[in-house]
């Protein structure tokens, strides 16, 4: 009898061990499927750090990848978004003020406060990195990544598309003004900037040409295709799940940015302690404003709109930051330009990584709200039917 009990105990332990191993394996498979974009992003950064496009072809690569990748993402959005719902979201002017005020004014003010505190020690940070932190804080919200992560979080993708287009439309006018304002206070780190002359015509021409060709035109064509060929669009983007190409396009956009940074050896030009500090302060900055935008949205927005706001408010784009870093300051070296871009590059990859992870919790939160709404609707319908039956019996009794 004791031998049988011992044997049964061993069998139970083996079964429990296999069950636990299976649970870990299933969890790992689920994470890879759900967060494949995050894993792909890590792979892209590793590849770009080891092999770069030759410098002679960097400009061509940047133009091709930037235009093609963003075009694919917004063409996909145009094909999958309902036109009426899109225009309804353009009419939400309170949402626009709420998001854009946070993104341009409050987030930039937080970045300036952090830089001001950091600059108290003149021997700690490179002045061009401090300028880069202010640069990043003044940028409009990200474009393609916001759309992808809002969709993955089951948020209001229409509102996200609207906020990204509005932010990047007014960004070329607001961002340079904010940067000039924050750097005009006589700070010691701003003293490295040469005397500047000239206007912003080249900046505006470049930025609006890129936005027009890679955002507005592809999105318009997607909407036209959706209107005239709805069955084809539904089959391709829903049944065949071709929309996944938008995520791949986002990875290629990230690759070209880091390929340029590693190719110019920008990361090797600054101290390791400065890079570690930027990573730390980026996580704190993004996490803080993600929490603020989420908490301040809950009291007056539904869950889908709250997700859209939380994705847009703390996010920043490289599409405007890089051109401005080239054009806003004249007379600075390529290395100084690269140093300005380092905080933006670090923010970009950490922003995508953190946003990708938050989609897990956001998606469950939105789905829980949908289930609760469905249960409430069923209960209301049952109550209505019950009430009708009671009224019918009352009429019969009265008769």
């Amino acid at each position: 009898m004791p031998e049988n009990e011992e044997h049964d105990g061993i069998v139970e332990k083996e079964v429990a061990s296999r069950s636990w191993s299976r649970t870990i394996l299933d969890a790992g498979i689920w994470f890879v499927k759900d967060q494949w974009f995050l894993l792909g992003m890590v792979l892209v950064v590793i590849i770009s750090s080891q092999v770069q496009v030759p410098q002679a072809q960097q400009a061509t690569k940047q133009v091709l990848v930037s235009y093609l990748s963003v075009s694919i993402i917004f063409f996909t959005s145009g094909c999958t978004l309902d036109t009426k719902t899109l225009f309804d979201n353009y009419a939400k002017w309170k949402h626009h003020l709420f998001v854009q005020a946070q993104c341009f004014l409050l987030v930039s003010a937080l970045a300036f406060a952090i830089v001001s505190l950091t600059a108290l020690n003149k021997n700690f940070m490179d002045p061009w990195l401090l300028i880069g932190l202010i640069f990043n804080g003044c940028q409009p919200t990200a474009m393609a990544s916001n759309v992808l992560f809002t969709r993955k979080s089951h948020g209001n993708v229409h509102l996200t598309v609207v906020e990204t287009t509005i932010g990047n439309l007014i960004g070329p006018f607001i961002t340079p003004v904010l940067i000039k304002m924050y750097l005009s206070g006589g700070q010691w780190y701003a003293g490295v900037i040469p005397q500047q002359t000239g206007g912003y015509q080249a900046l505006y021409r470049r930025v609006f040409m890129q936005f027009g060709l890679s955002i507005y035109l592809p999105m318009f064509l997607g909407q036209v295709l959706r209107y005239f060929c709805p069955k084809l669009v539904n089959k391709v983007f829903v049944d065949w799940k071709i929309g996944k190409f938008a995520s791949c396009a986002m990875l290629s956009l990230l690759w070209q940015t880091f390929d340029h940074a590693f190719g110019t050896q920008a990361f090797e030009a600054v101290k390791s302690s400065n890079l570690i500090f930027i990573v730390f302060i980026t996580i704190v900055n993004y996490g803080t404003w993600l929490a603020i935008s989420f908490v301040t949205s809950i009291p007056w927005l539904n869950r889908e709109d709250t997700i859209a706001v939380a994705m847009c408010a703390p996010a920043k784009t490289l599409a405007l930051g890089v051109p401005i870093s080239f054009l806003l300051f004249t007379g600075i070296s390529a290395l100084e330009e690269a140093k300005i871009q380092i905080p933006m590059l670090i923010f970009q990859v950490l922003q995508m990584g953190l946003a990708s992870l938050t989609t897990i919790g956001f998606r469950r939160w939105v789905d829980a709200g949908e289930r609760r709404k469905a249960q409430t609707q069923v209960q209301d319908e049952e109550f209505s039917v019950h009430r009708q039956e009671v009224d019918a019996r009352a009429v019969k009794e009265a008769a």
Side-chain angles (χ1 to χ4, degrees), residues 246-262:
S247 299
C248 296
M250 190 68 230
L251 288 176
S252 68
L253 190 64
L254 186 67
W255 164 78
Q256 75 90 8
T257 303
F258 274 86
D259 179 83
H260 173 73
F262 284 112

Side-chain angles (χ1 to χ4, degrees), residues 148-356:
L148 292 175
F149 293 135
T150 301
R151 188 187 305 278
K152 194 172 182 179
S153 301
H154 298 173
N156 187 347
V157 181
H158 297 82
L159 181 60
T160 297
V161 170
V162 169
E163 297 303 340
T164 57
T165 53
I166 292 176
N168 286 274
L169 181 64
I170 64 178
F173 300 100
I174 296 178
T175 296
V177 174
L178 288 175
I179 294 172
K180 289 283 190 180
M181 179 185 71
Y182 286 127
L183 296 177
S184 62
Q187 303 92 338
W188 67 266
Y189 54 85
V192 299
I193 303 173
Q195 187 69 30
Q196 301 297 304
T197 58
Y200 302 114
Q201 292 184 0
L203 172 66
Y204 295 151
R205 182 170 59 252
R206 177 177 175 176
V207 170
F208 283 118
M209 181 180 70
Q210 178 173 342
F211 289 169
L213 293 178
S214 62
I215 296 179
Y216 302 117
L217 180 60
M219 191 170 174
F220 172 76
L221 293 177
Q223 289 280 284
V224 171
L225 184 62
R226 176 184 174 86
Y227 179 79
F228 287 103
C229 307
K231 293 183 178 179
L232 175 63
V233 167
N234 186 71
K235 187 175 185 62
V236 171
F237 287 94
V238 178
D239 296 342
W240 295 354
K241 298 182 178 180
I242 298 298
K244 291 288 185 181
F245 279 116
S247 299
C248 296
M250 190 68 230
L251 288 176
S252 68
L253 190 64
L254 186 67
W255 164 78
Q256 75 90 8
T257 303
F258 274 86
D259 179 83
H260 173 73
F262 284 112
T264 56
Q265 299 181 337
F267 291 105
E268 299 177 10
V270 297
K271 296 184 294 185
S272 299
S273 59
N274 286 182
L275 293 176
I276 294 173
F277 175 79
I278 292 175
V279 170
F280 170 76
I281 210 65
T282 295
I283 295 174
V284 172
N285 195 355
Y286 182 85
T288 298
W289 215 266
L290 177 69
I292 290 174
S293 60
F294 181 79
V295 172
T296 55
S297 299
I298 290 177
W300 68 288
L301 297 179
N302 60 40
R303 298 194 179 198
E304 290 80 3
D305 288 359
T306 297
I307 297 301
V309 171
M311 286 296 178
C312 291
K316 296 296 177 182
T317 182
L318 279 173
L320 185 61
V322 172
I324 286 183
S325 67
F326 287 136
L327 300 174
L328 189 58
F329 298 143
T330 58
I332 65 175
S333 66
L335 178 58
E336 291 166 342
E337 288 178 347
K339 287 182 178 180
I340 292 176
Q341 295 174 15
I342 284 176
M344 293 186 283
L345 292 172
I346 292 176
F347 190 96
Q348 191 73 11
V349 68
L350 290 177
Q351 155 188 295
M352 290 187 183
L354 293 172
S356 182

Side-chain angles (χ1 to χ4, degrees), residues 68-79:
L68 184 60
S69 298
V70 177
S71 297
I72 290 174
I73 292 167
F74 279 88
F75 176 75
T76 302
S77 297
C79 289

